[in-house]
Amino acid sequence: MNQELYAARSRARELFIRFGTVLGVGVGPKVAGGQVTAREAIVVLVGRKLPARRVPRGELIPLVFEGFPTDVREPVLTVQPQRRAEKGRPHGPAKWCLTGDARWIEWQKIHELNLAQQRSAPPRQRPPTTTRRRRGSHN
Amino acid sequence: MALTTEVSGNLLLIKDPNETLVTTLPNGSHTIDWVAAYNTFRTVFGDDYDFVGFFIDVASGMPNDLGAASYPVFNDITGIGVNPFDNRASYSSAKLRGISWYGQATLSGVVLVQMTELLHELGHYWLAYVNYKDSSGTTQTLLHQDWVWSPGQQNAHWGRWPDKANSSMGYDEAQWIDNGNGTWDRYQRDDTQAVDDAWFGYWSLEQYLMGLVPASATPSNIIQNPNPTVPSVWPPVHSTTGPYTPTPNAAQITVAMVQAEEGVRNPDYMSSQRVFHQGFVIITKSTAAASSNPFVATCEGWRAAHALNFRSKVSGQAMLDTSLLRGNYSDLYVKDNDADTGTGLSSGVFWLSPDLWVRNSQDGGTTNQETIRGQDNFIYVRIRNKGAQPYDNVSVNVYLANFDNRALPGTQFLYPPDWNPAGLIGNISVGTVPTATAGGDGTVVVNVRWPTSQIPPATGWHPCLLCEVIPMETTPSGLQQVWQNKKLAQRNITII
C-alpha cells in the first residue's frame, strides 16, 4: 500500500472531519463523469455535495492535498434494486456490497446526526419503502 | 414507541417501530445509526464479540435499499492492505472488530441472504484490499481490475480479471477454468442459486491474508488479462464462454509479490486469532413477539448455517461461534481429568476426559468401552455447569481426529484446526444445562451415534475423539491446546 497516500489521508482526516458536512475521509480512485481520472486520491465523503460558493467559509476541500488529488463526493450507502434488472448491464452478486464507502464513514458522526434528528423531529412517518424512491430518478 | 429488544435463542431483536435508528443524510439519502444499534446490542449481551451482524427486516417496513456492507472498527493486523487503527472507544468496546449488515431486498421486499454474502461481509475484515508489486517494483492493481460497477467499490473487492478461484470477494461471480493449453474458459456462477452458493468460499490467497495458512500454502495465481474477451453483457448463468487467451503481459503473481507491496502478514498464521465470536441482530419495525415474526426463523437458519459454512470454507482453520453469550457462559465446561474444575487451564492427563466416552450401544453407561469396529458405537458427552444459573442454547460437536495426521506435527492437537469439520461425527443440541448444587456441578449427558462407516481403519490411524462445547470461550483466541480451554475435551481411544 502507498504509505504516503495513507499518511496523507490520516492528516486529511484530522483536518476535514471537523467540517460539518464531512462524513468520512478515505482513499480510492478519483472519479469524474463516471470515469476514473486518478487511481490514487483522497476521497472526502460529504453529506451533500455543494457548489463551491455555498460551502461554509473555511470548509472548502482543496483540489489537491499533499500532492494527491481529492475526490469530494456523497457516499453510496443505499442501492437501487432495479439496477439488478437492467438488461445488458454486467450485474454483480445479489449482495451489492457497499463496503467501499462504508469502511471510510465516521459512524460516530452518523450517530451524532441521528441524535440531533431525534431531538429535533417527531417520530418519522415515512411512506412505505416499497414506494419510496423506487420510481424516481435513481433508476 | 421507544426502541425495545427481545432475545430469541441466538438472535437479538431490536424493535424500532418509529425507525429511530434510521438516519437521514443531508442529501436525503439514509442509513442506519450503527453505533446506536451496536450499543443497544452491547447493553443486552456485553462486549464479547469480534463481529456483530445485522439482518434488516424489510418486510416490517425497514428501508429496503440498505444493501449489504461491513466496516472495521479496530484493526491490529498489518500486511492486509489496511493500516492499524482503533475506533473502539466510540463503541465503548474493548473487543469489537467489525460491523456488518444484510438488507439486500428483492423488488417485492423479500430480503435474500446467501451464504456467500455472509462469507463476503465477514471476509471484508481482512479482504480484499491488497495490491502487489511486479518484478520491476511497480505497484499493480490488477487484482481489482477491470472494474465496471460502482466506482467506490473497486478498492475493497476483487475485479473481474483475476483468477480468484472460489472467492466470495468479487462481484463478477465468474469461475476461470484453465484449459491447460494457454487458454481459459469462463463459467458464470450466480450465488442466488444453491449450487453456486455452496461453491463460493475463500481463495487460498485470502486464507493467507486471514492468517489461517502460511504463505507457502498459497500457490502462484495466474491473473487473467482477457481484454477484450470479457463481454460487456454478462453471459447467462451456468454458461461457459471461451476459450480466452490471456494477453502476453498477463501476470503471474505470488504471495511474495503481495508481501512486497503490503508487507508480511503480522501476526502470522501461528500467532493469528482463530476463534471468533459474531453476534447476530435483527432490526425490525415490528413490535410483535419473535415467535410470531417469520423473519426470525429465517434469520436463525442463516445464522446457524453461516457458522458451519464458514468453518467448512476455511477447512477448520478457524472457528466462528455465532451463539449469543449469556453472562454465565464461562460456567460451562467439560473436564480434562477428574481434578479439572473448569478454571480454564488444567494440568495433568488431558487425553482421557471423564466427560467424553464411548459405549458400544446406546445403554447410558458412564464408563468408556473400547470401540468395536464393524458396528455402530455411541459417543457420550457430559456438559457441566459450575454456576448458579442454568444455561440454554448449548450445543456440542464431536470429532474424530487422527493423531498421526494432526494439524501441526510435534505438538498435541491444536484447536481449532484439529476439530476439523471433515472429522465431525455429530452435532448435539443440548438444550438447558442445569445449575450446580451442593452436590456438585449441574450436568447434562448427551450422546451421538458413531456410525460404523465413520470408524477408521485399523492401520494408519491413531484415533482420538475431540469435542467442543458451544458457547465457546472468548479466550484464548489463537491456536490452543485442549488443556487451555475449558470447552474442549479429548479422549484417546482403542478400536478392536
Side-chain angles (χ1 to χ4, degrees):
Chain A
M1 61 198 299
N2 184 340
Q3 290 297 348
E4 287 182 12
L5 173 63
Y6 277 79
R9 177 260 168 189
S10 291
R11 289 186 286 273
R13 174 189 171 277
E14 202 169 311
L15 281 174
F16 302 152
I17 202 65
R18 295 177 234 159
F19 299 170
T21 191
V22 173
L23 298 177
V25 179
V27 301
K30 180 178 176 68
V31 180
Q35 300 295 316
V36 174
T37 59
R39 186 171 63 81
E40 292 187 325
I42 293 173
V43 177
V44 182
L45 301 170
V46 295
R48 186 176 188 189
K49 189 165 181 177
L50 299 170
R53 61 184 163 73
R54 291 185 55 199
V55 174
R57 187 182 182 86
E59 296 193 2
L60 194 64
I61 306 296
L63 291 172
V64 177
F65 182 86
E66 295 187 1
F68 294 101
T70 60
D71 188 16
V72 180
R73 60 180 176 82
E74 297 171 1
V76 178
L77 295 175
T78 55
V79 295
Q80 297 84 51
Q82 275 108 326
R83 285 191 62 189
R84 293 190 62 205
E86 290 175 3
K87 281 189 175 178
R89 184 185 182 87
H91 66 78
K95 57 184 86 71
W96 281 108
C97 173
L98 302 173
T99 292
D101 283 354
R103 66 190 283 236
W104 298 119
I105 293 286
E106 302 276 338
W107 289 95
Q108 186 65 28
K109 290 198 81 169
I110 301 292
H111 180 52
E112 290 162 5
L113 182 63
N114 185 37
L115 292 178
Q117 289 173 5
Q118 295 299 314
R119 283 192 296 268
S120 64
R124 278 161 284 181
Q125 295 296 323
R126 293 190 297 105
T129 54
T130 49
T131 59
R132 184 166 43 98
R133 292 190 183 82
R134 283 279 185 73
R135 299 176 182 87
S137 58
H138 281 231
N139 306 315
Chain B
M1 183 181 292
L3 183 151
T4 59
T5 62
E6 179 183 349
V7 178
S8 176
N10 283 313
L11 294 168
L12 175 72
L13 280 73
I14 297 179
K15 301 178 181 180
D16 186 17
N18 290 332
E19 299 186 13
T20 59
L21 292 173
V22 179
T23 306
T24 303
L25 304 184
N27 65 354
S29 180
H30 56 261
T31 187
I32 297 286
D33 176 358
W34 298 113
V35 174
Y38 169 77
N39 284 336
T40 302
F41 171 78
R42 183 176 48 75
T43 300
V44 180
F45 274 105
D47 188 25
D48 293 315
Y49 301 85
D50 301 285
F51 307 104
V52 177
F54 295 87
F55 296 116
I56 311 297
D57 187 1
V58 169
S60 74
M62 291 300 290
N64 69 348
D65 53 4
L66 295 171
S70 59
Y71 67 89
V73 171
F74 165 63
N75 173 47
D76 55 355
I77 304 166
T78 57
I80 60 173
V82 180
N83 277 334
F85 63 92
D86 190 351
N87 290 336
R88 290 177 297 180
S90 294
Y91 298 78
S92 303
S93 171
K95 174 89 173 175
L96 184 65
R97 289 185 175 273
I99 298 279
S100 53
W101 62 90
Y102 317 91
Q104 179 60 47
T106 65
L107 292 173
S108 58
V110 177
V111 172
L112 293 174
V113 176
Q114 286 80 40
M115 291 298 101
T116 305
E117 181 178 346
L118 291 162
L119 294 177
H120 179 108
E121 298 306 340
L122 180 60
H124 266 311
Y125 183 69
W126 307 271
L127 315 169
Y129 310 112
V130 297
N131 289 307
Y132 68 92
K133 274 190 167 49
D134 65 18
S135 57
S136 69
T138 303
T139 298
Q140 295 289 349
T141 58
L142 207 57
L143 287 168
H144 304 276
Q145 292 179 4
D146 157 28
W147 193 261
V148 292
W149 302 281
S150 175
Q153 301 299 327
Q154 64 263 60
N155 282 11
H157 297 92
W158 306 132
R160 59 179 186 163
W161 281 4
D163 174 8
K164 53 192 179 299
N166 67 332
S167 171
S168 304
M169 305 305 296
Y171 256 44
D172 67 350
E173 304 205 309
Q175 177 185 359
W176 288 104
I177 300 165
D178 186 349
N179 294 324
N181 59 1
T183 69
W184 300 68
D185 284 343
R186 183 187 186 284
Y187 181 69
Q188 184 64 53
R189 291 188 177 270
D190 176 359
D191 73 355
T192 63
Q193 305 206 26
V195 64
D196 297 325
D197 197 25
W199 179 80
F200 285 105
Y202 295 118
W203 175 26
S204 58
L205 174 64
E206 294 171 337
Q207 295 196 40
Y208 159 76
L209 295 169
M210 294 165 80
L212 305 182
V213 298
S216 59
T218 305
S220 300
N221 296 281
I222 299 290
I223 301 303
Q224 295 288 88
N225 186 2
N227 186 35
T229 52
V230 168
S232 58
V233 176
W234 243 221
V237 171
H238 294 167
S239 69
T240 300
T241 52
Y244 300 120
T245 303
T247 55
N249 61 344
Q252 180 169 347
I253 71 160
T254 64
V255 172
M257 296 165 75
V258 174
Q259 291 173 330
E261 173 68 17
E262 310 291 354
V264 174
R265 195 211 195 265
N266 186 30
D268 70 3
Y269 78 107
M270 286 298 294
S271 305
S272 62
Q273 184 170 347
R274 299 297 191 103
V275 177
F276 299 95
H277 289 262
Q278 183 173 25
F280 279 100
V281 180
I282 297 171
I283 299 181
T284 180
K285 283 190 73 169
S286 170
T287 56
S291 57
S292 60
N293 182 346
F295 189 59
V296 176
T298 301
C299 292
E300 170 56 20
W302 290 332
R303 179 205 66 80
H306 172 54
L308 296 173
N309 192 46
F310 173 83
R311 201 161 178 181
S312 172
K313 295 302 184 183
V314 297
S315 302
Q317 293 293 332
M319 187 273 182
L320 182 69
D321 181 358
T322 61
S323 68
L324 291 179
L325 306 179
R326 275 60 173 179
N328 57 329
Y329 76 91
S330 211
D331 287 339
L332 300 176
Y333 75 108
V334 280
K335 283 182 181 288
D336 289 329
N337 52 54
D338 288 333
D340 182 3
T341 56
T343 58
L345 187 65
S346 70
S347 59
V349 172
F350 58 84
W351 56 88
L352 293 172
S353 168
D355 288 339
L356 176 63
W357 68 94
V358 176
R359 299 296 295 175
N360 302 137
S361 63
Q362 199 172 18
D363 61 1
T366 56
T367 58
N368 183 65
Q369 293 179 317
E370 292 182 334
T371 304
I372 298 177
R373 183 173 282 107
Q375 68 167 61
D376 291 354
N377 288 256
F378 293 84
I379 301 169
Y380 282 75
V381 184
R382 180 186 295 111
I383 302 97
R384 297 172 179 271
N385 181 356
K386 64 178 184 175
Q389 296 291 326
Y391 202 102
D392 296 331
N393 298 300
V394 178
S395 63
V396 176
N397 293 322
V398 180
Y399 301 85
L400 173 68
N402 183 356
F403 191 73
D404 292 341
N405 191 30
R406 57 200 184 280
L408 193 67
T411 71
Q412 297 296 327
F413 285 121
L414 285 175
Y415 185 81
D418 284 314
W419 280 245
N420 194 298
L424 182 68
I425 295 175
N427 167 272
I428 314 160
S429 291
V430 176
T432 301
V433 183
T435 62
T437 64
D441 295 329
T443 63
V444 167
V445 175
V446 294
N447 69 85
V448 62
R449 181 182 297 269
W450 183 5
T452 184
S453 60
Q454 282 188 269
I455 293 177
T459 57
W461 270 80
H462 181 169
C464 302
L465 295 178
L466 304 171
C467 79
E468 63 184 344
V469 176
I470 296 170
M472 179 48 63
E473 292 294 288
T474 56
T475 57
S477 61
L479 290 173
Q480 56 197 269
Q481 291 167 310
V482 68
W483 63 85
Q484 297 174 301
N485 187 328
K486 67 177 75 174
K487 297 295 202 305
L488 305 177
Q490 172 182 343
R491 175 173 283 274
N492 296 1
I493 57 173
T494 301
I495 303 176
I496 58 175

